[in-house]
Amino acid sequence: GYQKTLYDTIKGYAPSASVHVFGPSFANASSYAQTGDLSRTLDDGNAHLYLLSQPPETTGFCRASDACTNGATIGSTIGNTFSLERQLNTARAVSASKAIVNTEAGYCTTVAANGNTQYNDMPRSVQATYWPRYLLHAFADVGIRRSYVYDIADDGLSPPTFDQCGLIDAHAKPKPSYRILKTLLDTVDDPGATYTPVPLAFTVAANVNADGSPIEAIALGSRGGNYTLALWNPVSVWYQQSGNGGAASHPLAVAPIAASVSLGTPFASATMTTFDPSTGIATTASINPKAPIAVSVTPTITLVTLRK
């Protein structure tokens, strides 16, 4: 009843008639089915797509790279984690075929003195590795056109599991995740009227990763025929005690994967940007776009910017 009143009020008032009305989001997954189809009273569905401490590409089941109890239980569930795809399907009970906006998602950096973490907590370097992957994967692979980051700054007021979810700390100092996301957004920034970029013709030759999956490679186009190609290894870099088993929380070492990128379109120049996840500092170097581009792919994103 409230959603219908909200929708009718906004749409029935001329100054706000063009404003998009979101549906409700729920903390409990079962609430979507209990509420049922509200698609006639919303423009966009709504969900809070948290992955707790798991990587953006998690299936919700233990993969080899998750190192669940030393890999002895591959295929078992990981705590209360569900994949982005499964969470979206659950939310569609309310929004039906309407697009769903991800109005809250986060990775938090509360770490106990003994190094252990809980719920969706992780070290800052892991947050810096996962956040760019989350936004790229959600947008390009899953089809979530907009995600809202929870949150901009640590508040020191929320319960301990949610008081350090910011991209900057409580003293307004950037965390590594802030620096990497800022560089990513600055790189792909392309203001202007809506347009449809031509897909980039490219191939990536590389071995599969520890999970038997290919590396991720996503091309984002811009005006003038320029592109930014983001590459990363979609594996876990953090063993979460509460989700994966009884061992203490700890980082997971991942060796780089050698990859070769071949382009089907000629470009005049190119640069490669890599990131240090412990600081967020970017290093950019010029590369030759006319030969296959050699990339050392890690779990932290690498950006290849191609210019006509």
Side-chain angles (χ1 to χ4, degrees):
Y2 176 86
Q3 182 68 24
K4 184 177 186 304
T5 299
L6 173 67
Y7 187 83
D8 290 346
T9 300
I10 296 297
K11 298 302 181 180
Y13 181 54
S16 62
S18 63
V19 172
H20 272 227
V21 176
F22 291 177
S25 66
F26 298 105
N28 295 322
S30 61
S31 297
Y32 288 98
Q34 292 171 6
T35 300
D37 189 347
L38 296 177
S39 59
R40 293 184 179 181
T41 62
L42 54 85
D43 295 309
D44 296 279
N46 186 0
H48 291 177
L49 302 177
Y50 279 88
L51 296 175
L52 305 184
S53 59
Q54 301 308 314
E57 308 82 7
T58 184
T59 62
F61 300 93
C62 183
R63 308 171 302 166
S65 69
D66 298 317
C68 300
T69 58
N70 298 318
T73 55
I74 293 176
S76 63
T77 59
I78 302 180
N80 294 318
T81 304
F82 302 106
S83 68
L84 291 177
E85 292 87 346
R86 177 170 173 174
Q87 293 185 62
L88 280 178
N89 286 335
T90 297
R92 289 192 176 100
V94 168
S95 57
S97 61
K98 299 285 183 70
I100 294 175
V101 176
N102 182 13
T103 58
E104 181 183 322
Y107 285 117
C108 306
T109 59
T110 307
V111 180
N114 63 2
N116 280 349
T117 57
Q118 58 181 336
Y119 201 49
N120 60 316
D121 298 329
M122 56 188 54
R124 293 184 177 189
S125 61
V126 179
Q127 184 196 50
T129 294
Y130 284 173
W131 248 134
R133 285 167 45 179
Y134 183 110
L135 295 176
L136 289 165
H137 174 65
F139 175 71
D141 293 333
V142 186
I144 302 169
R145 62 188 178 89
R146 181 166 298 190
S147 292
Y148 290 81
V149 174
Y150 183 86
D151 52 358
I152 187 62
D154 295 349
D155 57 37
L157 301 172
S158 304
T161 53
F162 280 99
D163 69 338
Q164 295 180 35
C165 302
L167 300 180
I168 63 177
D169 66 19
H171 304 287
K173 294 181 178 179
K175 296 181 184 179
S177 56
Y178 176 94
R179 294 189 176 96
I180 296 179
L181 286 180
K182 183 179 186 305
T183 301
L184 172 63
L185 293 173
D186 287 345
T187 300
V188 302
D189 187 32
D190 188 34
T194 299
Y195 82 108
T196 302
V198 177
L200 176 67
F202 72 96
T203 59
V204 179
N207 291 330
V208 296
N209 61 23
D211 300 319
S213 302
I215 63 171
E216 283 272 6
I218 293 171
L220 301 174
S222 62
R223 289 166 181 78
N226 300 324
Y227 292 85
T228 296
L229 182 61
L231 303 101
W232 69 92
N233 183 2
V235 294
S236 295
V237 297
W238 180 247
Y239 180 98
Q240 177 57 265
Q241 179 188 40
S242 61
N244 294 349
S249 303
H250 59 270
L252 299 170
V254 180
I257 295 177
S260 177
V261 179
S262 298
L263 303 171
T265 303
F267 290 89
S269 65
T271 57
M272 183 182 299
T273 301
T274 57
F275 300 92
D276 180 348
S278 65
T279 63
I281 294 175
T283 300
T284 300
S286 296
I287 57 175
N288 180 9
K290 294 181 173 61
I293 300 170
V295 184
S296 182
V297 181
T298 73
T300 304
I301 65 167
T302 294
L303 301 179
V304 176
T305 303
L306 305 163
R307 298 181 179 87
K308 286 287 190 179

